[in-house]
Amino acid sequence: AAFKKLQKLCKDFEDDFDYEPLWYWCAVQSLTPDQLKGAKAEGCTGATPDVQRNLLLLHHEEVREASSAAKILARELAPRADPIIIERL
């Protein structure tokens, strides 16, 4: 259900999403269970905080502002997640 919702968001807001849905799905699935609490669709399993920390180490550029896509994902799919974290993942 969550991936289908993400696909719909990518289609409905196609000007905001620069990549294929699978890339955003990887970011959503890299959120921790705490960040996924209250998710607006089922099917997100998330990652442990240790795995997320390691994934965040892979991003080399500093992120100062979340993209509109990351903000949409936070608002419509994972409201407890910080859009900056989604952007970094």
Side-chain angles (χ1 to χ4, degrees):
F3 186 69
K4 287 192 183 288
K5 181 167 185 158
L6 181 124
Q7 287 178 307
K8 184 173 181 346
L9 290 170
C10 289
K11 187 176 180 182
D12 291 349
F13 299 95
E14 72 178 275
D15 289 343
D16 297 293
F17 288 87
D18 296 329
Y19 306 104
E20 294 297 316
L22 185 59
W23 290 105
Y24 298 102
W25 182 244
C26 290
V28 170
Q29 291 290 54
S30 299
L31 295 170
T32 65
D34 273 353
Q35 293 165 328
L36 289 169
K37 278 185 186 164
K40 296 185 176 185
E42 300 213 358
C44 299
T45 55
T48 66
D50 286 341
V51 168
Q52 185 187 78
R53 186 179 60 252
N54 289 337
L55 290 169
L56 290 170
L57 290 173
L58 296 173
H59 196 287
H60 297 287
E61 298 173 24
E62 184 179 353
V63 176
R64 296 172 189 244
E65 186 176 332
S67 66
S68 55
K71 291 175 186 174
I72 290 166
L73 289 175
R75 182 182 71 231
E76 300 292 331
L77 203 55
R80 290 195 55 180
D82 181 345
I84 292 281
I85 296 292
I86 295 173
E87 184 70 27
R88 290 180 64 203
L89 290 167

